[in-house]
């Protein structure tokens, strides 16, 4: 492990344009609701009578808004807190090493942790808008609304600015993410495998020298990365950027 930490530190700290792909395991690490987890998904379907994917859907929002928001407000109760790993990303950005963070998670962990240059491909639960007049509303307004959250101005239902199942990602965000990855000489993947969509979508644009992967789950595709370290981002990334070693664990 110590040798891998040193190799990852060298690649990251010597990079000229570091870009991070932040996967959904980072959200779990920070305490967000992981509706992909089989146990959580089963519990949700038992209580609501619908699967998560059915409810977190644009057609469900349009046709069953009461049930949609009942489930959505439960998601808002578990937005997590940026952990040490996310704070380490912000530190790298502040030092001028990390140039951009790209994510599909909807809890704005990177922004809340202090990162400024973030591409949130699927939007954020912290961004809500009136479906008619486009007035902005904070997360707390939606979470605390009794029944359907309605606009104070025109009384139309508020629309969470997240990419629901069945919707296309904003082309401008896709283009920006691709351009950032094209400029990267080192790509840092945290909380995802090399086979997940966040990685496969953007790796085709990467022409740099090193891919560093940090994740809790092993996957056969990870052999395509140059440096692979298994563990949580909160555990591993601070050790990398602060140059900490693990004398008790040798390769």
């Amino acid at each position: 492990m110590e040798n891998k930490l040193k190799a990852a530190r060298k690649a990251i700290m010597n990079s000229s344009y570091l870009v991070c792909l932040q996967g959904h395991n980072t959200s779990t690490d920070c305490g967000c609701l992981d509706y992909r987890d089989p146990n959580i998904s089963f519990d949700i379907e038992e209580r609501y009578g619908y699967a998560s994917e059915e409810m977190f859907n644009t057609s469900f929002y349009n046709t069953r808004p009461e049930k949609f928001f009942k489930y959505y407000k439960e998601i808002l109760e578990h937005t997590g807190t940026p952990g040490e790993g996310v704070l380490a990303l912000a530190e790298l950005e502040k030092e001028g090493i990390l140039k951009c963070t790209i994510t599909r998670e909807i809890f704005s962990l990177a922004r809340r942790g202090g990162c400024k240059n973030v591409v949130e491909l699927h939007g954020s639960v912290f961004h809500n808008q009136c479906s008619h007049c486009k007035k902005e509303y904070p997360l707390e307004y939606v979470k605390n609304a009794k029944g359907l959250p309605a606009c104070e101005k025109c009384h139309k239902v508020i629309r969470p600015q997240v990419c629901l199942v069945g919707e296309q990602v904003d082309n401008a965000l896709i283009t920006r993410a691709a351009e950032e990855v094209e400029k990267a000489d080192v790509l840092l993947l945290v909380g995802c495998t090399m086979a997940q969509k966040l990685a496969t979508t953007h790796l085709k644009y990467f022409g740099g020298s090193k891919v560093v992967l940090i994740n809790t789950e092993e996957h056969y595709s990870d052999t395509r990365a140059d440096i692979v370290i298994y563990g949580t981002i909160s555990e591993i990334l601070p050790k990398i950027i602060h140059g900490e070693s693990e004398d008790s664990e040798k390769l």
Side-chain angles (χ1 to χ4, degrees):
M1 175 73 81
E2 184 180 358
N3 289 345
K4 289 186 177 182
L5 290 171
K6 288 180 178 178
R9 175 175 170 78
K10 182 178 179 181
I12 290 171
M13 303 308 276
N14 291 340
S15 65
S16 60
Y17 207 98
L18 176 69
V19 172
C20 175
L21 301 181
Q22 178 194 313
H24 82 268
N25 280 343
T26 306
S27 306
T28 306
D29 181 40
C30 294
C32 304
L33 179 68
D34 182 11
Y35 47 83
R36 300 174 185 85
D37 183 283
N39 294 323
I40 294 176
S41 296
F42 179 79
D43 176 63
I44 289 171
E45 191 164 357
E46 282 281 294
R47 290 189 289 113
Y48 288 94
Y50 297 92
S52 297
E53 293 78 9
E54 292 179 274
M55 291 186 288
F56 204 69
N57 188 296
T58 183
S59 64
F60 206 88
Y61 167 83
N62 290 324
T63 60
R64 302 176 181 86
E66 293 83 4
K67 287 189 176 181
F68 171 86
F69 275 105
K70 183 178 180 182
Y71 173 57
Y72 187 69
K73 288 177 184 179
E74 182 173 342
I75 293 176
L76 299 186
E77 293 291 341
H78 303 277
T79 55
T81 303
E84 292 299 319
V86 176
L87 298 179
L89 288 177
E91 186 176 336
L92 283 173
E93 186 185 86
K94 187 176 181 180
E95 292 176 2
I97 297 169
L98 177 62
K99 307 301 184 183
C100 182
T101 299
I102 301 166
T103 183
R104 286 158 55 94
E105 60 95 0
I106 59 174
F107 300 104
S108 288
L109 290 169
R111 287 192 190 280
R112 291 160 61 203
C115 291
K116 305 297 183 184
N117 192 16
V118 183
V119 181
E120 295 176 329
L121 292 168
H122 284 191
S124 169
V125 296
F126 291 87
H127 183 200
N128 302 278
Q129 199 176 74
C130 173
S131 57
H132 179 68
C133 72
K134 309 305 180 185
K135 181 178 178 180
E136 297 283 339
Y137 287 91
L139 177 147
E140 289 75 16
Y141 184 88
V142 176
K143 185 168 68 173
N144 297 330
K146 294 181 180 179
L148 294 177
C151 177
E152 295 174 319
K153 182 179 177 181
C154 60
H155 310 295
K156 299 294 184 180
V157 178
I158 291 171
R159 175 63 156 81
Q161 297 302 291
V162 295
C163 190
L164 301 176
V165 176
E167 293 183 319
Q168 296 294 321
V169 176
D170 187 333
N171 280 332
L173 294 177
I174 294 174
T175 300
R176 183 183 168 201
E179 289 173 346
E180 290 290 342
V181 173
E182 280 184 333
K183 291 186 284 187
D185 65 326
V186 176
L187 196 60
L188 173 63
L189 275 65
V190 294
C192 71
T193 71
M194 292 285 283
Q196 288 175 329
K197 191 170 183 178
L198 178 66
T200 58
T201 299
H202 295 96
L203 281 168
K204 59 189 176 185
Y205 301 110
F206 179 65
S209 59
K210 287 283 190 300
V211 175
V212 179
L213 185 148
I214 303 169
N215 196 24
T216 54
E217 304 170 3
E218 296 186 29
H219 194 271
Y220 69 89
S221 65
D222 295 342
T223 56
R224 301 203 303 267
D226 298 286
I227 303 168
V228 180
I229 304 175
Y230 291 116
T232 66
I233 178 179
S234 292
E235 170 196 3
I236 301 299
L237 194 53
K239 290 179 180 178
I240 290 174
I241 70 168
H242 296 136
E244 297 176 21
S245 64
E246 293 192 353
D247 296 330
S248 61
E249 196 171 352
K250 306 288 185 180
L251 284 175

